[in-house]
Amino acid sequence: MNSCRLSHLDTLEAESIYILREAAAEFSRPAMLYSVGKDSSVMLRLAEKAFYPARVPFPMLHIDTTYKFREMIEFRDRICRGLGVRLIVHTNHEAIAHGANPFRLGTGACCGLLKTRALLDALNTHRIDAAIGGARRDEEKSRAKERIFSSRDAFGQWDPKNQRPELWNLYNGRISSEQSMRVFPLSNWTELDVWQYIERDGIPVVPLYFAQEREMLVRGEQLIPFEHSMALLPGETPQKVMCRMRSLGCTYCTGAIRSHADTIAEIIKELQGFRRSERENRIIDHDQEGSMELKKREGYF
Amino acid sequence: MSAGAHTTSLLRFLTAGSVDDGKSTLIGRLLYESGGVYEDQLASVRQFTAAKNEGLDLSLITDGLRAEREQAITIDVAYRYFSTTSRKFIIADAPGHEQYTRNMVTAASTADVGVILIDARKGVLEQTRRHAYIAWLLGIRCMLVAVNKMDLVNFECRTFLAICESFKQFAGLLEGTQTHFIPMSALLGDHVVHRSASMPWYGGPSLLELLETISIEDQRTRRCFRFPVQNVIRPNQDFRGYAGAILSGSVKPGQEVVALPSMQRTRIARVFLHRKDLAEAVAPQSVLLSLSDDLDLCRGDMLADPHDTPAVSHRVLANLIWMSQSPLRIGAPYVIKHTTQTLCGSVLRIFHKLDIHSLQPVETTTLRLNEIGKVEIEVHKPMFCEPYTANRAMGNFIVVDPADNSTVAGGMILDVCPSFAESALGPVSTYGGTPADQRLKGLTVWFTGLSGAGKTTIGNAVHTELLARGIRAEMLDGDTMRKHLNSDLGFSRKDRDENIRRIGFVAHLLTRNGIVVLVSAISPYRAVRDEVRNMIHNFLEVHVNAPLDVCEGRDPKGLYKRARAGEISGFTGIDDPYEAPLAPDLRCDTDQESIKASADKVVATIVRSLSEDKQGGTAQ
Ligand SMILES: Nc1nc2c(ncn2[C@@H]2O[C@H](COP(=O)(O)OP(=O)(O)O)[C@@H](O)[C@H]2O)c(=O)[nH]1
């Protein structure tokens, strides 16, 4: 007998299931942040496995900025219904009524209101003491030091200098009533692991990840999906481009990449040859060097 | 299947070195040459180095947070990922700076292999010995010593061999350690990923080749079966499964196991992973187990190999690594997390601490940030444990300060104190305040409700939490009381009333001595509950409530089944009435809220009630 029989995916799966079970046991009102992307899809499958044959004991929380792709919303509703999990959708209606949108405010401020603010409000409204998120440490430099159980202060803020040490697989879930916790079961997964697992387990993902001819605005290197009545630059017209999304967010902030990968196997092959990080196409991270860390400190996931 | 990538295994290693030994450069190169660095990340490194007018500085790839960049130092453990065709690697990068003990320990706790960097010009330093020692203390038995900056010593074999020799001398003290040495230039890339012609006298593998091929005999699978229950999975009346991660060993259907702490023996019925029935599962898999007998296990209990059970003890000797700014307080209550148990405990005494320079024990009265010392610890409920060197997962624990919930220490069990092994009496000392800050008034919290409603589970959780807060508390469990004080009583109305009266009387005595008494008893009849309530000056009634069909569905002790079958008569809820409290001080609807939520609620009420008393006391 030897755990050499366990592949890296088996080992990652075991760890993530363990983390999800800890979260369910250690908190009064945990919820899973379900963003509809590939990481959320993997996380949801792991949650299903962790508690099967019982149902997933916590609800899914989706922060809807109203600037998401239509396909994402359809997919979300179909999957949650199929599994019988409770879905909470939260939108910062007030900000939207006051005209918050990425075109007017710029991506940074828009994200602040429609994602960060909305998330913190949702956690308060539903008295959620632990939000389980799909962030991975390999996504971005500032995440390399993130804990698996990461405590936040009363304002949802992260203090990178004051993190609890995290030893072995013993996670300290104790928080005071004004604090909350973020739990990251996919911490040790990479983008490649995620796709390999999706392939191995046959996990459904939003079709936006697969290459297809799509209406796009081509701005220099960037491909911006033409949706939500986006304002055109002078002389600009949308073009049909063979492309796919590498990570999903709001339509305006999700850059696409030119690709012909239209199956999971093709995506994995593409990734193995890749030399670009997945967030590169995300417009938000580029505003400022170290911007993700700033966002995180303010409570962004 | 694509590229056969699914069959690669996972290896976790830590990197340690003093400042400027070239650790960041080494990791940068490993990631860069194995394709783990993306173009855009490189571009940002290029930009940064261009600004400083230097060549491409690979160390910047691994440079993380803004705060560090400003101070140009690494201050916390960072995790990096890369993979080759045969393995996926997780690097725990422990910075060699201030706080290094805390960081080293954190990084080493999950690592299988340690990569120790040495600057060829400086040789084995005090810091090198320290790093190796801590890695060894944390259970790492495979060390790869990278002698870096060989280019600065003219790639001389002599220098390399001298360093190997001096490291080996010291490493002789690190029992059971397997060591490999690699001469290297991280800057030039010699022997990091590829072999190099620069040192023809070295015929060995590059660091990456070693990492790819080294066999870390997985200790976990060779040890005896240990499975701490994480959650109880109970989707309906017909199924009860125990969810958890296998800490060590393996498990198969039909295998005999013993449940701790009850010591009941049973067999594994099935091993599940999601929809699949497994013929066998091994550590560290997370599975769901069902048993052939109906045992009532809960989170924190353990299933183990009956031929080789772990120690069951209230007292252990352990090495503690202190990680908090505020020093260890002997006798103060701390929360201890061990396997899936949360316990309250305190440090009874401290034997010595490690002098980090000489690595020799020296006398001390406390432990401060980054200090390591040997202590004796007592906990309020028995731990199921083994020495850390025998079984890492069974021998580690963390210490949390209940005052601010910070993790203040990591612990590694050295030994179980023999006189207390398997003692049924519980710990000798009581945690909680010294008499000076002891409250004048105690409190009785009476949990009433149907069998299976969750009284004892909530009561236990509340007990741990109270002790952790320094509040003296005692648990009077109906089942335990019937075994001891009330063993002469049956289940007639008269006997039931007498049972409650006696429990009430003990609760009264304890309460008037300033103790918080947690009573968990069905106590079905209103009249005698009220009688007890009138006897005790400070009393909270908690109705632990779940509908009969839910309790019957849970049937933790199989009693409902027997009652329905007519094997037991006069069973509350079936053929004997339960008179629910009319105006309980608190109600826990356990079919609607989690144990944690119920326990939190009760603790909050108790704390409020005690602080009111206190205020009342000072006003007099
Ligand atoms: N000549 C030479 N310089 C090196 C080598 N490895 C690292 N350095 C340099 O040593 C300095 C410190 O390296 P760095 O990786 O930042 O060290 P860290 O503090 O251990 O992370 C940098 O200037 C590196 O370029 C090496 O093998 N040879």
Side-chain angles (χ1 to χ4, degrees):
Chain A
M1 253 150 306
N2 197 315
S3 79
C4 286
R5 289 189 331 199
L6 298 182
S7 71
H8 73 289
L9 292 180
D10 293 327
T11 313
L12 290 172
E13 176 187 68
E15 179 183 77
S16 301
I17 290 176
Y18 170 81
I19 295 165
L20 288 164
R21 287 169 172 173
E22 281 301 287
E26 295 263 315
F27 298 98
S28 303
R29 298 172 66 89
M32 181 176 275
L33 293 186
Y34 181 69
S35 74
V36 200
K38 59 185 187 303
D39 305 307
S40 290
S41 300
V42 165
M43 200 164 59
L44 180 54
R45 169 60 59 89
L46 290 164
E48 228 187 299
K49 291 192 177 187
F51 305 102
Y52 186 86
R55 285 201 181 157
V56 178
F58 37 73
M60 301 295 123
L61 171 63
H62 182 230
I63 303 300
D64 189 354
T65 59
T66 70
Y67 288 96
K68 301 281 174 192
F69 292 89
R70 222 175 325 101
E71 289 101 312
M72 288 171 71
I73 303 300
E74 285 162 15
F75 181 88
R76 174 195 79 190
D77 294 341
R78 183 160 49 80
I79 294 291
C80 289
R81 215 177 312 119
L83 287 177
V85 294
R86 192 155 78 85
L87 173 68
I88 302 173
V89 178
H90 191 95
T91 301
N92 189 347
H93 290 293
E94 200 191 316
I96 289 170
H98 284 92
N101 68 50
F103 323 117
R104 231 191 73 192
L105 293 181
T107 54
C110 177
C111 235
L113 285 170
L114 298 189
K115 286 176 92 167
T116 311
R117 189 71 258 151
L119 170 66
L120 297 177
D121 287 346
L123 297 182
N124 273 334
T125 310
H126 298 279
R127 292 186 292 126
I128 291 163
D129 57 352
I132 306 166
R136 292 177 277 109
R137 286 182 183 141
D138 87 318
E139 264 177 87
E140 210 272 337
K141 272 191 211 168
S142 74
R143 286 193 163 143
K145 304 184 175 189
E146 179 66 274
R147 301 295 189 261
I148 288 174
F149 272 41
S150 176
S151 59
R152 299 296 149 96
D153 66 15
F155 308 102
Q157 306 220 331
W158 182 60
D159 180 359
K161 277 205 153 177
N162 197 14
Q163 297 197 79
R164 296 174 180 177
E166 197 160 74
L167 295 110
W168 299 290
N169 58 354
L170 296 170
Y171 305 118
N172 176 0
R174 294 176 64 92
I175 44 174
S176 65
S177 55
E178 63 285 354
Q179 287 177 309
S180 63
M181 195 67 91
R182 303 287 183 271
V183 176
F184 301 111
L186 302 186
S187 287
N188 286 323
W189 296 57
T190 61
E191 188 183 10
L192 184 60
D193 298 328
V194 166
W195 280 110
Q196 287 174 340
Y197 192 72
I198 288 172
E199 182 184 46
R200 189 185 87 169
D201 258 52
I203 299 171
V205 289
V206 191
L208 288 162
Y209 285 113
F210 300 109
Q212 196 187 309
E213 285 224 316
R214 294 186 168 88
E215 279 294 285
M216 288 283 163
L217 296 179
V218 183
R219 290 183 185 164
E221 291 266 294
Q222 283 175 351
L223 298 177
I224 304 170
F226 185 61
E227 286 203 35
H228 292 115
S229 51
M230 211 167 276
L232 297 178
L233 299 177
E236 195 176 41
T237 48
Q239 309 172 18
K240 288 250 178 215
V241 183
M242 190 68 177
C243 61
R244 67 179 200 88
M245 315 297 156
R246 205 166 152 198
S247 72
L248 289 178
C250 297
T251 53
Y252 180 69
C253 292
T254 305
I257 52 168
R258 289 178 195 269
S259 164
H260 288 273
D262 56 0
T263 61
I264 294 171
E266 286 293 316
I267 291 176
I268 291 174
K269 226 196 273 159
E270 185 182 87
L271 277 179
Q272 285 170 330
F274 245 158
R275 283 291 180 270
R276 283 168 183 277
S277 68
E278 64 186 300
R279 287 192 163 263
E280 187 196 23
N281 307 87
R282 284 253 183 139
I283 288 148
I284 54 164
D285 296 354
H286 275 268
D287 292 354
Q288 198 187 345
E289 171 75 339
S291 66
M292 178 59 99
E293 191 201 331
L294 278 178
K295 276 208 187 59
K296 273 174 62 93
R297 288 197 193 189
E298 287 155 14
Y300 177 78
F301 234 74
Chain B
M1 286 243 168
S2 64
H6 297 173
T7 48
T8 63
S9 59
L10 182 66
L11 183 86
R12 298 177 193 243
F13 67 92
L14 83 87
T15 52
S18 312
V19 188
D20 281 346
D21 281 355
K23 193 160 54 66
S24 311
T25 310
L26 171 66
I27 296 172
R29 184 157 294 279
L30 272 176
L31 298 185
Y32 179 62
E33 292 200 14
S34 64
V37 186
Y38 297 124
E39 277 296 332
D40 50 310
Q41 291 170 334
L42 271 182
S44 109
V45 168
R46 281 200 194 98
Q47 234 175 17
F48 196 77
T49 26
K52 289 206 301 180
N53 209 5
E54 289 166 7
L56 184 63
D57 184 353
L58 288 176
S59 72
L60 288 177
I61 292 168
T62 57
D63 176 29
L65 302 182
R66 167 178 288 261
E68 291 165 13
R69 192 173 299 181
E70 280 159 6
Q71 295 165 20
I73 52 158
T74 325
I75 49 171
D76 202 346
V77 183
Y79 296 88
R80 323 277 172 196
Y81 305 84
F82 71 100
S83 52
T84 65
T85 47
S86 60
R87 265 186 183 160
K88 170 185 163 111
F89 297 96
I90 301 181
I91 311 178
D93 178 14
H97 250 285
E98 40 152 0
Q99 305 241 330
Y100 70 85
T101 302
R102 169 176 153 152
N103 290 322
M104 265 294 297
V105 165
T106 304
S109 73
T110 53
D112 309 302
V113 173
V115 174
I116 313 261
L117 252 90
I118 296 179
D119 185 329
R121 295 171 304 176
K122 298 180 190 156
V124 176
L125 303 176
E126 182 185 307
Q127 283 230 29
T128 314
R129 283 195 291 271
R130 211 179 281 171
H131 290 148
Y133 184 80
I134 293 173
W136 177 81
L137 199 65
L138 267 286
I140 293 178
R141 294 292 179 267
C142 175
M143 298 195 201
L144 311 185
V145 180
V147 181
N148 190 35
K149 304 199 184 179
M150 285 301 292
D151 53 311
L152 298 180
V153 294
N154 298 320
F155 300 110
E156 268 180 2
C157 180
R158 252 184 325 131
T159 312
F160 173 70
L161 290 180
I163 291 172
C164 297
E165 213 34 60
S166 104
F167 187 90
K168 272 186 203 150
Q169 267 184 11
F170 157 73
L173 304 173
L174 310 180
E175 210 181 299
T177 306
Q178 176 201 354
T179 318
H180 300 264
F181 297 90
I182 309 121
M184 177 185 294
S185 169
L187 191 68
L188 305 177
D190 296 343
H191 297 150
V192 177
V193 170
H194 305 289
R195 298 191 190 192
S196 154
S198 61
M199 291 165 266
W201 46 265
Y202 175 74
S206 72
L207 176 67
L208 184 64
E209 284 174 302
L210 257 175
L211 287 169
E212 275 190 300
T213 51
I214 210 154
S215 90
I216 22 129
E217 251 232 73
D218 199 323
Q219 302 293 327
R220 283 177 299 215
T221 42
R222 281 195 301 128
R223 308 281 173 206
C224 295
F225 174 63
R226 305 284 185 247
F227 181 87
V229 174
Q230 232 186 326
N231 322 69
V232 180
I233 304 287
R234 189 98 222 226
N236 56 56
Q237 298 199 16
D238 306 319
F239 183 86
R240 189 207 316 254
Y242 299 108
I246 303 170
L247 284 192
S248 61
S250 60
V251 64
K252 286 180 184 163
Q255 182 172 323
E256 205 189 350
V257 291
V258 61
L260 302 174
S262 70
M263 290 303 212
Q264 289 164 295
R265 283 194 180 207
T266 182
R267 285 180 189 283
I268 300 289
R270 293 167 71 181
V271 179
F272 301 91
L273 177 53
H274 197 205
R275 293 193 170 86
K276 278 182 295 211
D277 256 300
L278 302 184
E280 184 182 24
V282 299
Q285 277 183 295
S286 284
V287 291
L288 182 71
L289 303 179
S290 67
L291 304 177
S292 49
D293 298 288
D294 260 346
L295 303 189
D296 176 25
L297 306 185
C298 57
R299 178 171 164 85
D301 290 355
M302 182 176 286
L303 293 171
D305 182 344
H307 308 294
D308 187 351
T309 54
V312 177
S313 177
H314 284 102
R315 283 202 193 185
V316 293
L317 299 181
N319 273 325
L320 274 192
I321 300 125
W322 203 256
M323 300 184 153
S324 164
Q325 295 287 353
S326 37
L328 163 68
R329 285 168 296 139
I330 306 277
Y334 289 105
V335 171
I336 288 176
K337 280 201 79 176
H338 173 252
T339 66
T340 55
Q341 278 197 305
T342 299
L343 305 149
C344 177
S346 66
V347 173
L348 299 180
R349 57 192 170 129
I350 177 162
F351 297 92
H352 54 74
K353 71 176 178 189
L354 187 76
D355 176 60
I356 203 68
H357 305 287
S358 65
L359 301 179
Q360 295 300 313
V362 291
E363 249 180 74
T364 185
T365 53
T366 185
L367 289 178
R368 294 175 196 284
L369 181 63
N370 286 323
E371 289 184 339
I372 300 175
K374 181 177 165 183
V375 298
E376 180 173 358
I377 290 182
E378 183 178 72
V379 287
H380 85 291
K381 277 192 301 189
M383 289 167 112
F384 321 125
C385 56
E386 285 166 78
Y388 187 76
T389 47
N391 192 332
R392 254 172 125 174
M394 288 288 286
N396 62 43
F397 60 90
I398 58 169
V399 182
V400 176
D401 185 345
D404 61 2
N405 295 327
S406 59
T407 305
V408 293
M412 293 170 294
I413 294 172
L414 294 163
D415 208 351
V416 173
C417 300
S419 56
F420 286 87
E422 299 186 45
S423 149
L425 294 172
V428 172
S429 57
T430 47
Y431 309 106
T434 52
D437 62 55
Q438 196 67 63
R439 287 156 195 92
L440 287 175
K441 277 185 181 175
L443 170 68
T444 289
V445 185
W446 195 282
F447 296 92
T448 170
L450 293 172
S451 174
K455 300 179 295 296
T456 303
T457 314
I458 296 173
N460 279 328
V462 171
H463 189 203
T464 307
E465 190 56 40
L466 293 180
L467 294 177
R469 292 177 186 219
I471 297 170
R472 291 177 63 174
E474 189 60 80
M475 177 92 188
L476 301 182
D477 183 72
D479 290 342
T480 318
M481 297 301 277
R482 275 188 177 276
K483 240 181 256 159
H484 298 279
L485 184 64
N486 302 341
S487 58
D488 56 326
L489 299 177
F491 291 88
S492 65
R493 172 146 199 148
K494 188 164 152 279
D495 277 8
R496 280 176 183 264
D497 281 350
E498 179 59 18
N499 178 43
I500 297 306
R501 253 180 232 118
R502 289 187 197 169
I503 297 176
F505 184 66
V506 175
H508 160 65
L509 294 179
L510 292 170
T511 304
R512 85 178 178 189
N513 280 286
I515 287 170
V516 175
V517 187
L518 306 168
V519 177
S520 143
I522 298 175
S523 39
Y525 309 131
R526 200 173 291 136
V528 70
R529 283 202 309 263
D530 289 344
E531 189 184 317
V532 169
R533 172 175 211 140
N534 290 332
M535 170 166 58
I536 300 173
H537 65 279
N538 205 7
F539 193 93
L540 277 179
E541 188 173 52
V542 181
H543 184 193
V544 181
N545 181 48
L548 179 63
D549 58 317
V550 173
C551 295
E552 195 168 347
R554 291 177 185 156
D555 204 6
K557 297 165 208 150
L559 294 174
Y560 285 97
K561 213 189 271 169
R562 289 176 57 204
R564 290 286 184 201
E567 291 168 33
I568 318 176
S569 64
F571 191 73
T572 304
I574 305 293
D575 54 354
D576 207 68
Y578 176 75
E579 302 167 7
L582 298 176
D585 299 287
L586 202 62
R587 212 170 88 168
C588 299
D589 292 309
T590 60
D591 56 328
Q592 285 161 39
E593 59 192 35
S594 64
I595 296 290
K596 175 81 171 58
S598 297
D600 285 353
K601 203 159 78 179
V602 177
V603 170
T605 312
I606 292 172
V607 169
R608 213 177 313 124
S609 157
L610 292 178
S611 65
E612 278 163 14
D613 289 351
K614 230 185 189 170
Q615 278 156 14
T618 43
Q620 278 168 6

